[in-house]
Amino acid sequence: MSCSKGKSAKPYHVCYIDTLLSMKKITALIGSLLIGLLLFTGCNDRLSTVGSGVRPADDALVPEVDSFDLHAKTIKIDSVYDRSTYALLGHFSDATYGEYRASYICRLQSAPGFKFTHEPYKGQIKNTYVRLRYTSWVGDSTILSKATVFEVKRALPQNRYSRDLTPYLEGAKQIGFLSYRAANAKGNHELMIPVNNEIGERIYKASKESPQYFESQKSFEENLLRGLFIESSTGSGCMLSVYNTELVIEYDYEHMGKTADKKTDSLQILTNSEVFTATSLLYMHRQFETSRIDELLKPSDKFGYLTSPQGLALTLTLKAEDLQKSFLTKESKGATQRKLINGATLSLAVDVPPSGATILQPPAYLLLLPKDSLVSFFEEGKTELSSPRSFFLSSIYSVSKREYSFNNISTLLNDHLAKHNEKGILKKDLELIAIPVSRETTSTHGGGKITARLNNYIYPSAARVQLHKGSLTIKTISTLYKEKGGALASK
């Protein structure tokens, strides 16, 4: 069986049948043919026995469709892992999902062997800026806000988790600020925040007198610049999605060039810039703060909540007794009965708040994974393709259907049954977690798209999932078969 996934791809199943079919292959074939029936059949329907003409009379195959209720709970995510250069800056209040604030510390990449491209005119630095590049925002783009930049003096941690940055701001020095409106230009948006020229002069002097400071990132940070803390200090109602942060050192230099009539040479004064930038190789430190979310965390049988960037996730639990009752081996009249799960689907129905009740949109994708795998998944750079039995990416959020769909999570159920089955007793509930993610893709030879990387979603978003009875279920299709001579071992 092969299956491709993408924005426009649909699940499909292709089974190759050898000339002589074993009973195991018959089981797989029946399960594949019946996957589509999940869309049309009700809960706990018993389908008639099929294939009776091609199997022994004492080995009845009975395909069945079942439905299992999930128990959901909204939980708070205290920290998120990310290795991109994206950061959020600003704060806003949402009537449904609470209040959000974001700031960050970025580190700037050292350049071994660095020296200025030209000699600054009279040895002077003209201007020094911090440049923030952003493509989008959430909230009111016309509101006046103020971005403030501080030089960080303390050593910074060597990991990629968001955190409370307060301990690393001790002794930090304010070096510049800028009042701005998010919608300040068309096309590419950027803020040029003027900062203390002493930083540019410091770096220029070191390039002349202490080139060893640039030979390693450690030396650069210890001797020249540990990092920049950037916060939105005033203004409320807009949050920028910043994709790149740079330190720009601007200076004039002498250049011998042609005059305007191109007849004679003349000495000209031109302007150039040296740029130090944040890269994904460096550790960026993000701070996300949320408030007024206590109501969303209360136990509810009506709604569950998903928010980003560092907000709320949904835990989904399938009780062990429900799985055991339906799928573990049973003895019946001298024969062993066992179910193989051929397909399982899950849909999360989204309830959209009324107009004016929120400024947030649902994230494009959700990731479904075992709860105990949340940390390792992002640290190890896994995807739904690298670990297809455990991790599942939803289809892209359907605006028309208002739902997220997970097309086939049967391997997750089968593996849990096999791992935690002790002599017919399932010892552990299946605990899953659903969280917002961003998806990076790459092109295939056939022109399609496959996942290259999945990251925690570093952008303000929210979804309210329906939890009322019957709205949150896993639907399965399985094959019940009987064999004389004892139970089969779990696989």
Side-chain angles (χ1 to χ4, degrees):
M1 179 185 294
S2 63
C3 179
S4 63
K5 296 182 179 179
K7 286 185 178 180
S8 60
K10 297 181 179 179
Y12 62 89
H13 302 268
V14 178
C15 296
Y16 178 84
I17 307 176
D18 291 325
T19 304
L20 297 178
L21 292 174
S22 66
M23 289 311 301
K24 185 175 181 180
K25 289 183 178 179
I26 293 174
T27 301
L29 173 60
I30 292 170
S32 298
L33 292 174
L34 290 172
I35 288 294
L37 292 178
L38 284 172
L39 301 175
F40 307 106
T41 54
C43 301
N44 298 315
D45 292 335
R46 300 298 183 185
L47 305 182
S48 60
T49 300
V50 297
S52 58
V54 294
R55 64 167 188 275
D58 61 350
D59 189 12
L61 289 166
V62 184
E64 299 178 356
V65 174
D66 293 290
S67 180
F68 300 90
D69 289 330
L70 290 169
H71 301 265
K73 181 182 179 182
T74 302
I75 63 170
K76 186 177 180 180
I77 301 296
D78 293 323
S79 183
V80 294
Y81 181 93
D82 191 75
R83 60 172 63 245
S84 73
T85 60
Y86 277 82
L88 295 176
L89 178 66
H91 41 103
F92 66 87
S93 181
D94 186 270
T96 299
Y97 298 107
E99 190 167 343
Y100 295 80
R101 181 183 295 270
S103 53
Y104 66 100
I105 294 174
C106 74
R107 307 163 96 133
L108 302 172
Q109 183 70 59
S110 173
F114 169 79
K115 62 179 181 179
F116 275 52
T117 307
H118 306 281
E119 182 62 27
Y121 181 60
K122 295 184 179 181
Q124 295 180 350
I125 300 302
K126 187 176 181 180
N127 295 297
T128 307
Y129 301 94
V130 170
R131 177 163 58 200
L132 310 184
R133 300 180 188 270
Y134 61 99
T135 56
S136 58
W137 55 82
V138 168
D140 185 355
S141 63
T142 65
I143 196 168
L144 187 63
S145 301
K146 179 181 175 182
T148 304
V149 180
F150 297 80
E151 180 183 354
V152 175
K153 298 294 187 177
R154 294 199 61 182
L156 296 168
Q158 302 293 311
N159 67 55
R160 301 182 186 277
Y161 282 93
S162 60
R163 66 189 69 248
D164 175 14
L165 298 178
T166 305
Y168 306 101
L169 300 179
E170 183 180 347
K173 179 183 178 182
Q174 180 178 325
I175 57 175
F177 63 87
L178 176 72
S179 295
Y180 67 93
R181 289 183 173 89
N184 60 358
K186 294 182 179 180
N188 293 327
H189 298 273
E190 64 179 31
L191 303 181
M192 293 289 285
I193 307 172
V195 297
N196 195 324
N197 225 25
E198 185 274 331
I199 292 180
E201 294 168 350
R202 183 195 313 168
I203 291 176
Y204 168 61
K205 182 179 180 181
S207 71
K208 302 283 288 184
E209 301 176 2
S210 306
Q212 69 274 15
Y213 290 171
F214 301 91
E215 292 308 309
S216 70
Q217 189 65 31
K218 180 180 179 181
S219 180
F220 178 81
E221 293 186 8
E222 287 180 348
N223 294 285
L224 291 174
L225 184 62
R226 291 198 180 275
L228 300 172
F229 172 64
I230 304 170
E231 69 169 352
S232 182
S233 50
T234 62
S236 178
C238 187
M239 185 174 286
L240 306 180
S241 177
V242 179
Y243 68 87
N244 187 237
T245 305
E246 298 171 325
L247 179 69
V248 181
I249 304 172
E250 185 180 86
Y251 60 94
D252 292 335
Y253 68 96
E254 294 181 327
H255 173 72
M256 186 64 70
K258 296 291 184 182
T259 57
D261 59 12
K262 301 187 183 301
K263 292 182 178 179
T264 59
D265 290 336
S266 68
L267 187 62
Q268 303 169 8
I269 303 298
L270 303 180
T271 300
N272 191 51
S273 296
E274 307 296 340
V275 179
F276 290 80
T277 187
T279 74
S280 59
L281 298 176
L282 302 177
Y283 299 98
M284 180 173 280
H285 308 289
R286 304 165 182 83
Q287 178 171 283
F288 303 121
E289 302 169 71
T290 57
S291 58
R292 295 196 297 105
I293 61 171
D294 293 345
E295 193 67 27
L296 307 183
L297 287 165
K298 291 181 180 179
S300 171
D301 57 3
K302 188 175 181 181
F303 296 123
Y305 297 89
L306 296 153
T307 64
S308 68
Q310 176 184 302
L312 306 177
L314 202 60
T315 60
L316 305 171
T317 303
L318 185 54
K319 294 295 185 180
E321 53 263 33
D322 293 338
L323 281 170
Q324 177 177 323
K325 181 171 58 178
S326 295
F327 295 116
L328 290 188
T329 302
K330 302 175 183 178
E331 295 290 336
S332 176
K333 298 181 180 180
T336 296
Q337 295 186 149
R338 177 178 169 80
K339 279 187 180 179
L340 293 179
I341 304 174
N342 306 108
T345 61
L346 171 63
S347 294
L348 301 182
V350 174
D351 180 87
V352 178
S355 177
T358 182
I359 61 174
L360 299 177
Q361 297 295 321
Y365 292 98
L366 297 182
L367 178 69
L368 184 71
L369 71 167
K371 188 177 179 181
D372 57 8
S373 300
L374 181 60
V375 173
S376 62
F377 181 88
F378 294 105
E379 285 185 349
E380 297 173 14
K382 297 177 181 178
T383 71
E384 87 283 8
L385 301 179
S386 64
S387 303
R389 301 188 67 86
S390 302
F391 309 123
F392 300 88
L393 184 68
S394 73
S395 58
I396 194 167
Y397 173 69
S398 173
V399 176
S400 59
K401 295 181 180 179
R402 295 185 175 181
E403 71 175 16
Y404 296 95
S405 296
F406 298 91
N407 292 324
N408 192 354
I409 60 173
S410 59
T411 56
L412 190 62
L413 303 182
N414 283 322
D415 288 354
H416 184 79
L417 285 164
K419 183 177 180 181
H420 301 288
N421 175 17
E422 295 183 13
K423 297 180 179 180
I425 303 299
L426 192 59
K427 294 293 187 177
K428 186 178 181 181
D429 295 339
L430 176 58
E431 294 182 298
L432 306 173
I433 188 167
I435 58 170
V437 291
S438 61
R439 182 188 184 215
E440 297 177 22
T441 62
T442 186
S443 298
T444 65
H445 292 299
K449 298 287 186 181
I450 61 172
T451 302
R453 175 177 290 178
L454 294 176
N455 300 308
N456 278 296
Y457 193 34
I458 308 298
Y459 193 79
S461 70
R464 186 165 69 179
V465 178
Q466 296 182 23
L467 301 183
H468 57 78
K469 187 171 179 59
S471 65
L472 191 61
T473 59
I474 290 180
K475 296 181 180 180
T476 65
I477 189 164
S478 57
T479 306
L480 173 65
Y481 63 91
K482 304 174 184 178
E483 281 193 1
K484 290 184 177 181
L488 294 178
S490 297
K491 296 182 179 181

